[in-house]
Every structure is written in C-alpha cells, then in structure tokens.
Amino acid sequence: MVVRERPAGWVLVIALALGVAACGGEEPSVPQVAATPTADPELVGEVSATFATYRSGVVQGDAGAVLGALDEGSVEAMARVAELAETADEATVRDLPAADQLLVLTYRLRPELLEGDDPYENLVEAGLAGQDRSLGDLGDISPVRDDVAFGVVTDPATSAPTPQRWRFEREGDVWRFDLVEAHRLLSDAIDAAADRAGVGVDDLVAATVVDLSGEDPRTVQELYTETP
C-alpha cells in the first residue's frame, strides 16, 4: 500500500474536514444555512452547553455525558456501526463512509469494546471516540427551524471560522449534537483528501488507524476481512 499523503492521527483527520477547501481540492458538501437574525441568547447558551458537554465527555471518557449530548438518531447510528463491526464482510466495510470505516476498524482492533450492552459507550470510556481539541470551538450559532440550529465550526489551530457547520437538533426541551452530520463532514473531507493524494478512501482510513494504534499496516488491512 502506497500512501503519499499520510495522516498524523485523528486530529489531522478532523483538520482535513475543517481545512480541505484551503488545499485546493474538492470541498466537502456544506449544509446551506440561510442568513438569520442573531440567535436568542438562551438558545445560544443551551446549544453551547450541549457542545461543551459533548467535548468534555469525549476527552474525559464520560460515556453518560457524551450519550446524553447526542440526538437519538446519532445514538442509533453508533449502534448500527457497532453491529457492522461484528458482522460486515470486506466489501461492505470498504464501501462504508470513511468515518464509519474508522469506527469499524477500531472496534475490530479492540474487540473487547464490542462486549456488553453498548459498544459505543465502551468506545467513549476507552478514550477512542475522538479528541476534545480536534473539534475546535463553537462559533456563531444560527437557528434554521424551531428544532434545528447550526454552529460554525472553527479551526482547532487558529480558532478562525470555517465554512463547515455542526448541526444541533432540539429533542423535547433539550438541544442535542448531531454526530451523524459531523461524521458526514468528516467522511466528505477524507474522500477529498484521498482524491487529492491519488489513493483509495480505505487506504487513507487504514493509514489513519495505523498511526493512531501503532499497529503494522498488514494487521490493520486484515481488519477489513476478519470479524471479531
């Protein structure tokens, strides 16, 4: 496997999602958010608190905080990815969006995470659900419906606003983070980075897992074919 653009780990993968447009490659799709008046301060405070809870929960391995900050669709999606890690064949895994491939390979590399009632909870508690600093801070927040708001993604290194948006959904009286949309942005960015590098998405995903885990490339490639 030849990878001419080798990632340095999860932080760089997220950075690709934030900065891909500046690299001259294909820009990942961005939610089109209509201009809105300044958001209500109460909404801004609630959305910001949800994002802060998610960020701190990820870095502290607090699965209760992370799951409590995610919308229902995201929790269900994380459960489906764990099921794929246990059952999916090679072709299915390689055809998954890049963010889902990263999770599937992580589960297969650490099969003990699939034990118990909630593999994603195990993933968070193991400190493998991402890194707080890779998310950047939350920029301006704009409601687009009564139950949907977007927050500007900022560059983790410079705090400058980027074209990307994190999505939040109100469930009942609580604003929750849409991790599915965040993973879509990440997958789009990895697709663009792989295209620029002239490699397959699965090659870039595998190289990222090698960097994160310290495993040899052959072992990681075998994760595509070997179920736990």
Side-chain angles (χ1 to χ4, degrees):
M1 177 180 67
V2 178
V3 178
R4 293 190 294 276
E5 181 174 284
R6 184 177 179 82
W10 185 260
V11 172
L12 182 53
V13 171
I14 295 291
L16 290 171
L18 302 177
V20 67
C23 299
E26 179 183 354
E27 184 173 340
S29 56
V30 177
Q32 297 301 305
V33 181
T36 61
T38 302
D40 176 73
E42 183 176 357
L43 180 150
V44 170
E46 291 173 355
V47 169
S48 297
T50 292
F51 190 65
T53 297
Y54 174 77
R55 276 171 43 122
S56 62
V58 164
V59 77
Q60 295 171 14
D62 185 344
V66 170
L67 290 168
L70 297 181
D71 68 346
E72 183 177 349
S74 296
V75 174
E76 293 173 351
M78 295 305 101
R80 287 194 295 271
V81 172
E83 291 175 2
L84 289 169
E86 294 186 282
T87 62
D89 61 18
E90 179 180 7
T92 299
V93 177
R94 291 188 188 275
D95 197 44
L96 291 172
D100 290 350
Q101 285 190 44
L102 281 166
L103 288 178
V104 167
L105 297 191
T106 299
Y107 280 125
R108 290 183 174 183
L109 190 62
R110 295 278 302 274
E112 70 274 11
L113 298 175
L114 293 168
E115 299 174 358
D117 295 332
D118 193 334
Y120 185 69
E121 181 176 325
N122 297 338
L123 187 83
V124 173
E125 291 177 349
L128 297 172
Q131 296 181 5
D132 169 72
R133 67 181 182 276
S134 69
L135 292 171
D137 293 316
L138 190 63
D140 292 342
I141 297 167
S142 300
V144 295
R145 295 200 312 256
D146 288 343
D147 60 346
V148 175
F150 286 90
V152 171
V153 178
T154 62
D155 187 311
T158 67
S159 296
T162 75
Q164 279 71 44
R165 302 289 185 268
W166 299 130
R167 184 180 185 276
F168 297 84
E169 185 166 340
R170 187 196 293 271
E171 294 181 342
D173 295 328
V174 180
W175 285 98
R176 302 191 189 279
F177 183 47
D178 185 347
L179 187 59
V180 171
E181 175 64 15
H183 278 192
R184 185 189 68 78
L185 290 176
L186 173 58
S187 294
D188 286 351
I190 294 175
D191 288 354
D195 185 63
R196 292 197 312 276
V199 300
V201 169
D202 52 350
D203 287 335
L204 196 53
V205 167
T208 300
V209 174
V210 168
D211 283 332
L212 287 171
S213 66
E215 292 288 343
D216 65 272
R218 179 175 302 223
T219 296
V220 172
Q221 284 292 337
E222 289 173 351
L223 298 173
Y224 279 101
T225 60
E226 297 180 359
T227 57

